[in-house]
Amino acid sequence: MKKILFQLSGSIACYKACYLLSKLVQDGHEVQVACTQGALKFVGEATLEGLSGRPVFTDAYEKGRMLDHIRLTQWADLALLCPASANTLNRLATGLADDVIGSLFLAWNLKKPYLVAPAMNQEMFRHPATQASLGKLQGWGIQVLETEEGRQACGDFGPGRLLDPDVIHRSVQGALGIQ
Ligand SMILES: Cc1cc2nc3c(=O)[nH]c(=O)nc-3n(C[C@H](O)[C@H](O)[C@H](O)COP(=O)(O)O)c2cc1C
């Protein structure tokens, strides 16, 4: 079984990511959660630690974890950002390391798989800033997963919905070389 760095950013789709997190743990993988402060507005640390069995990494300056933004990148076989908010995707594409997700991204060895599963409003998704960031990330070897088209929480219809978590699960297994 593998070591997975499961990262969440602030999107309404965080609740769907919890199902995927649980599924990966049930597969037998070791899963470490890291998340933005924004993600914690949508799901609580109790859920994330409860599902993963490990304390969530969300504060780079937490006592006893000051080097986790490097150590976790050395530890993990694969990183997944799910859901990937517009804000975090745009920050990653500019190389900002002003939170744990940005720091982990810059310290990540791009020879190992890094997957992002975007989730956002259709206008945010179609925006040239977001599209340029996704293109940039792909150019760096990041595996950008598709989004689903359909009704969104805000009532809009269009692309940007989080891909079905079972489909993301298959992409993760594939990237890890597991059938
Ligand atoms: C109810 C609600 C739902 C949101 N859903 C999304 C979303 O699905 N995708 C997204 O990119 N931003 C969404 N946002 C906006 C982000 O939470 C906001 O841009 C935040 O700054 C993201 O921070 P982070 O990327 O550091 O987690 C939502 C905000 C609210 C209040």
Side-chain angles (χ1 to χ4, degrees), residues 9-12 36 38-39 42 85-88 91 119-120 124:
S9 51
S11 154
I12 193 83
T36 64
F42 294 89
S85 69
N87 177 60
T88 290
R91 277 190 311 113
M120 66 200 69
M124 293 173 94

Side-chain angles (χ1 to χ4, degrees), residues 91-132:
R91 277 190 311 113
L92 296 187
T94 52
L96 287 178
D98 56 356
D99 76 344
V100 297
I101 303 302
S103 302
L104 288 164
F105 180 73
L106 278 193
W108 187 256
N109 176 350
L110 291 169
K111 292 194 183 103
K112 296 194 285 186
Y114 191 113
L115 280 65
V116 300
M120 66 200 69
N121 164 268
Q122 52 97 17
E123 295 286 9
M124 293 173 94
F125 183 73
R126 290 186 215 267
H127 196 283
T130 308
Q131 287 302 313

Side-chain angles (χ1 to χ4, degrees), residues 10-110:
S11 154
I12 193 83
C14 281
Y15 78 95
K16 296 183 185 170
C18 292
Y19 162 80
L20 176 59
L21 166 61
S22 171
K23 196 167 163 118
L24 291 167
V25 172
Q26 286 175 49
D27 287 342
H29 298 302
E30 287 179 63
V31 184
Q32 171 65 54
V33 174
C35 71
T36 64
Q37 293 296 320
L40 294 178
K41 298 270 188 199
F42 294 89
V43 285
E45 276 188 77
T47 298
L48 298 172
E49 178 171 338
L51 291 174
S52 66
R54 291 161 180 262
V56 178
F57 181 48
T58 189
D59 174 8
Y61 300 103
E62 186 185 334
K63 219 173 170 185
R65 304 193 79 160
M66 303 254 185
L67 283 176
D68 271 14
H69 63 289
I70 307 293
R71 283 197 194 115
L72 290 175
T73 64
Q74 297 164 341
W75 168 85
D77 299 306
L78 174 145
L80 171 67
L81 175 60
C82 171
S85 69
N87 177 60
T88 290
L89 285 172
N90 288 325
R91 277 190 311 113
L92 296 187
T94 52
L96 287 178
D98 56 356
D99 76 344
V100 297
I101 303 302
S103 302
L104 288 164
F105 180 73
L106 278 193
W108 187 256
N109 176 350
L110 291 169

